[in-house]
Amino acid sequence: MSSGLLSGFSAGLRTLTVAFVLRLCLALLLPPAAASQEPSIPGFPEIPIDASEDQVRQRVALVRAGEKLTPKAWPNGARVAVCLSFDVDNEILWRRTPLPVPLSQGQYGATTGLPRILELLDRQSVPASFYIPAMSAALDPQMIQEILRGKRHEIGVHGWMHENLPLVGDAAKEEKLLTQSIEYLTKATGKRPVGFRAPSWAFSESTLAQIQKAGFLYDSSFMAMDEPYELLSNGQDTRMIELPINWIADDYPYYEPQAAGSLPDPQLVLDVYKGEFDVAYQERTMFILTMHPHITGHRSRIAGLEKLIVYMKSKPGVWFATLDQVAEYVKAQEGQGKR
Ligand SMILES: [Zn+2]
């Protein structure tokens, strides 16, 4: 190991240690209840400590993982499916606190982040899936045109106004927003979206039934596996394909302001993503990365993402695909009993 690498490593370690100590201090300052408990969300009361096993089973049954759906082989004998995905939230992410400066941080996604990402995807000739709240698309309608210009990307639903679905608190209102979002994107792209990613990855009691009814091919909001799986609702197969995400392969926890700079070095973030990809490659499953144009679209981070893409492309048998291509393939294999 070179001394440059060593000093980079120790600087990273120092940063991590400082962040850890800061978090520890915070945890000690807060009473234990505040440090460990989140307030319960309307419609989702706490599971009591003396609940019976049956009661607990009922309470976890709304959405659970069914069978694994990874096919025996990916197209052309590929070992792994790689999906780059971007949630194009931009200013709408600050809907509840629309102060001018944070809004500008979001607008960066439309002015600079997205164009830079699209340039990178073109340069590397790889596809990606973009999930766009309808109102973000309405504020900067050129974004959809820019994404479609590449002719290899997918656009999926990500709410009307990045609404947190359990907090909407009204099934009819939630369904209306979903319908509006589908209609908006269908009109703007000329194609009905087949993929759904819940804003903030939050499902209400009604969300799964509503996206089933709306005819989505797949969802990408859950975390019960590292590979495609079927979604069960109250023990019944919904025929909805889940293409799962997770917080480790997401830019938000590393870079967003509240992360307090705990992993500020794109090289360290890149190492985490590479570690996730390497095991997906060994296990012959799937690697989905979730990013945001206003976060990953910054200069140093795009350089890190490009390094990751180049690394993944250097391995034989990597299938770069959009999530809808993966879902279509999984569905076709399932139909032929090949899984
Ligand atoms: Zn989002």
Side-chain angles (χ1 to χ4, degrees):
M1 192 186 278
S2 75
S3 62
L5 272 177
L6 267 176
S7 67
F9 179 74
S10 64
L13 203 64
R14 246 188 342 264
T15 314
L16 284 173
T17 310
V18 169
F20 177 75
V21 170
L22 277 174
R23 281 175 184 198
L24 189 67
C25 293
L26 198 65
L28 290 174
L29 284 171
L30 291 169
S36 63
Q37 278 181 9
E38 303 212 342
S40 60
I41 294 172
F44 293 88
E46 180 181 323
I47 301 174
I49 201 163
D50 52 0
S52 68
E53 184 183 327
D54 270 357
Q55 287 168 331
V56 176
R57 283 191 184 283
Q58 269 181 18
R59 290 295 307 279
V60 301
L62 180 64
V63 185
R64 285 202 102 200
E67 273 188 59
K68 291 180 177 176
L69 295 179
T70 300
K72 286 192 184 118
W74 290 110
N76 303 315
R79 291 181 64 112
V80 67
V82 168
C83 301
L84 303 174
S85 71
F86 296 89
D87 296 354
V88 191
D89 300 335
N90 299 351
E91 288 146 291
I92 297 302
L93 207 55
W94 283 271
R95 178 181 64 83
R96 300 173 87 179
T97 50
L99 295 166
V101 172
L103 287 176
S104 74
Q105 210 180 328
Q107 198 187 2
Y108 183 90
T111 65
T112 307
L114 182 68
R116 193 176 274 146
I117 285 162
L118 291 170
E119 221 172 274
L120 165 63
L121 298 174
D122 276 352
R123 200 159 55 238
Q124 293 296 335
S125 303
V126 290
S129 296
F130 293 85
Y131 300 92
I132 311 186
M135 205 52 80
S136 300
L139 285 180
D140 291 284
Q142 82 285 358
M143 293 194 302
I144 287 190
Q145 298 317 312
E146 289 167 359
I147 293 167
L148 294 178
R149 204 170 296 141
K151 294 196 190 310
R152 61 165 82 87
H153 308 310
E154 173 196 7
I155 293 180
V157 170
H158 195 47
W160 176 251
M161 210 173 303
H162 208 272
E163 58 278 14
N164 185 305
L165 300 174
L167 297 181
V168 171
D170 177 337
K173 189 170 180 186
E174 183 185 337
E175 191 160 27
K176 187 168 169 267
L177 294 170
L178 176 65
T179 308
Q180 284 177 196
S181 312
I182 297 168
E183 282 170 0
Y184 185 92
L185 291 185
T186 303
K187 197 165 168 224
T189 65
K191 181 178 178 285
R192 189 179 167 93
V194 299
F196 179 79
R197 177 171 284 167
S200 308
W201 294 339
F203 263 51
S204 77
E205 286 172 291
S206 321
T207 311
L208 182 51
Q210 289 182 4
I211 62 171
Q212 261 184 282
K213 190 175 151 198
F216 281 96
L217 170 65
Y218 74 90
D219 170 72
S220 180
S221 315
F222 285 94
M223 319 185 186
M225 291 184 191
D226 288 324
E227 57 191 295
Y229 64 89
E230 65 184 18
L231 284 182
L232 302 182
S233 185
N234 296 313
Q236 302 295 313
D237 183 6
T238 62
R239 308 303 296 162
M240 183 68 69
I241 298 169
E242 177 60 29
L243 301 179
I245 42 67
N246 67 63
W247 285 112
I248 303 161
D250 184 307
D251 58 3
Y252 204 79
Y254 306 122
Y255 293 134
E256 55 89 37
Q258 279 77 35
S262 54
L263 265 185
D265 182 344
Q267 186 59 45
L268 293 173
V269 179
L270 180 66
D271 287 349
V272 176
Y273 294 164
K274 267 170 88 172
E276 290 292 309
F277 164 79
D278 284 340
V279 178
Y281 189 79
Q282 279 164 25
E283 293 180 345
R284 294 176 172 268
T285 56
M286 178 180 65
F287 173 57
I288 297 181
L289 191 54
T290 303
M291 296 161 282
H292 302 75
H294 77 275
I295 296 176
T296 285
H298 284 276
R299 296 179 281 216
S300 55
R301 298 167 185 176
I302 283 288
L305 177 59
E306 184 150 26
K307 273 192 201 168
L308 176 68
I309 294 173
V310 167
Y311 171 74
M312 295 190 292
K313 280 172 78 175
S314 74
K315 303 268 179 183
V318 177
W319 181 40
F320 285 89
T322 55
L323 278 86
D324 65 340
Q325 288 170 333
V326 169
E328 288 286 3
Y329 186 77
V330 164
K331 192 181 166 193
Q333 297 299 105
E334 202 188 2
Q336 294 169 26
K338 284 187 184 167
R339 66 168 172 91

